[in-house]
Amino acid sequence: MNDPLKRSHEPIFWLLFGAGGMLAAMLGAMLVFLLAFGVPSGLLPAEALSYTTMRDFAGNVFGKGFLFAVVALFFWHAVHRIFHSLHDIGIHAGLPARVLVYGTAAIGTLIAAAALLAIGF
Amino acid sequence: MSARRPYIRPMARWYLRDPFFIEYMAHEGTAVFVWLFALELLAGLVCLALGEAAWNGFLAWLDWLPAQIANGLVLLMLLYHGITWFLILPRTIPPVRIGHARLPGWVLSAAGMMAMIAASAVLATGAWLLARGGL
């Protein structure tokens, strides 16, 4: 804070928070509905969540990109908001807490990338 | 160490003092459910990568009643996140001007919610077409 030229990392995390929040606001509820209640409600045919359908979708470049964006951005949105809410509930969290909270998003992003790469193109 | 003990306004449970604060904590709290849903999707992706047996295990989890109840709660929370995200949008983005006139906040919120409905409809249609082998 004393050095006016010192750059903050905050804009990067804020941007991920904003992008994830917008994506979750636009599509989050419908994604939960389709995954958990799409078939039971009769909106989707039973083969919607079959292994073949989902492998095809995750094997497609656009499907892969969509799934990666959803999982990674939802994580980064959530951890940013959770970390800043810690202060609101009286936990004045420092760097270790930051690493712990944001770390879950980083690990989640890496696992998502690994799983999508393992599925192949 | 000073002998003075100045009055410090107590901050314990401040968020229960005012309905505005309660709503603030409620919409911030949706992040926990976004995190849980990201974790569920990640588990699904890992199962999908591991093969058909693992994927069918994930489908069995989705059919399990306690998971259905949990996902019902996640659904409500993501719906609440979406609605509040667009309700506070006029205060979280820079003012939008058309010519010299500033666009009223409610117009931005309404536009955002309509975009939410449209995007959700496109997503549902896409999933339906995909299941039919189309797209």
Side-chain angles (χ1 to χ4, degrees):
Chain A
M1 278 297 160
N2 296 327
D3 181 0
L5 294 178
K6 194 174 185 300
R7 278 177 180 264
S8 164
H9 293 123
E10 197 62 14
I12 299 166
F13 295 112
W14 183 84
L15 207 66
L16 288 167
F17 157 78
M22 187 55 90
L23 195 63
M26 289 272 194
L27 301 176
M30 185 52 94
L31 276 172
V32 183
F33 177 78
L34 292 174
L35 185 71
F37 308 108
V39 176
S41 70
L43 182 80
L44 294 177
E47 58 268 32
L49 293 181
S50 75
Y51 182 68
T52 336
T53 313
M54 291 314 290
R55 277 298 279 224
D56 282 351
F57 182 66
N60 178 283
V61 182
F62 297 105
K64 218 182 263 302
F66 176 74
L67 291 170
F68 181 70
V70 166
V71 175
L73 289 175
F74 278 25
F75 265 126
W76 286 105
H77 164 77
V79 294
H80 189 78
R81 215 171 204 184
I82 291 168
F83 181 75
H84 285 279
S85 295
L86 289 180
H87 179 82
D88 295 336
I89 55 172
I91 303 168
H92 303 293
L95 189 66
R98 197 175 186 110
V99 170
L100 197 71
V101 175
Y102 284 76
T104 64
I107 293 168
T109 302
L110 288 177
I111 295 175
L116 284 165
L117 286 176
I119 288 166
F121 288 87
Chain B
M1 205 48 158
S2 164
R4 275 186 72 239
R5 292 183 49 229
Y7 173 70
I8 296 168
R9 187 164 54 111
M11 288 304 286
R13 288 183 293 282
W14 62 271
Y15 39 82
L16 296 178
R17 275 183 214 157
D18 184 309
F20 182 86
F21 297 155
I22 293 174
E23 197 290 321
Y24 170 81
M25 289 310 268
H27 78 237
E28 293 295 306
T30 60
V32 173
F33 295 90
V34 174
W35 190 90
L36 287 172
F37 184 53
L39 192 68
E40 185 178 36
L41 286 176
L42 184 65
L45 272 186
V46 170
C47 288
L48 192 63
L50 287 176
E52 190 157 9
W55 176 253
N56 288 335
F58 180 69
L59 291 183
W61 149 261
L62 289 177
D63 276 338
W64 190 44
L65 186 64
Q68 290 253 301
I69 294 167
N71 275 319
L73 187 63
V74 170
L75 173 60
L76 286 178
M77 287 299 172
L78 267 87
L79 206 55
Y80 189 68
H81 161 69
I83 292 165
T84 53
W85 183 261
F86 292 117
L87 280 179
I88 62 179
L89 192 70
R91 286 178 277 136
T92 54
I93 62 168
V96 179
R97 291 172 201 281
I98 293 179
H100 287 293
R102 185 174 165 173
L103 214 57
W106 69 267
V107 176
L108 288 174
S109 294
M113 283 181 212
M114 284 200 280
M116 173 184 172
I117 293 168
S120 299
V122 169
L123 181 70
T125 312
W128 188 81
L129 287 172
L130 203 70
R132 299 270 148 160
L135 209 77

